[in-house]
Amino acid sequence: MKNQLATAVQLTPILARVHNLTAQLAQSPNTESSTQRFDQLRSITKNYAVPADGCEAYSAAYASLKSADTAHHQN
């Protein structure tokens, strides 16, 4: 149980940063700030890499963010 809690303690701040950046992206269509936020997301998530034990919601969220990032950079 200690190992799982230690992992959770390490991952929780990452998830919080991803959540906050995603909320900021949804609220602000500003292209320059969106580019910076996507840069931060790619860095935080290691290019949207889902951990091997990531759940379906985790996978779906990262896939959606990666898709939005790609679309943003194509415009």
Side-chain angles (χ1 to χ4, degrees):
M1 182 168 123
K2 284 186 178 184
N3 289 340
Q4 292 88 348
L5 288 174
T7 300
V9 167
Q10 290 176 343
L11 294 175
T12 301
I14 295 168
L15 295 174
R17 289 193 318 241
V18 169
H19 173 78
N20 290 337
L21 287 168
T22 302
Q24 291 171 3
L25 279 166
Q27 295 172 355
S28 174
N30 180 314
T31 302
E32 185 175 323
S33 64
S34 293
T35 298
Q36 292 172 349
R37 288 181 180 118
F38 279 120
D39 289 346
Q40 291 173 316
L41 282 168
R42 280 192 307 282
S43 176
I44 293 166
T45 64
K46 297 180 179 145
N47 204 31
Y48 308 107
V50 178
D53 59 350
C55 66
E56 286 183 37
Y58 205 125
S59 297
Y62 273 28
S64 294
L65 286 169
K66 186 174 184 175
S67 179
D69 188 351
T70 300
H72 171 75
H73 284 87
Q74 289 177 347
N75 291 331

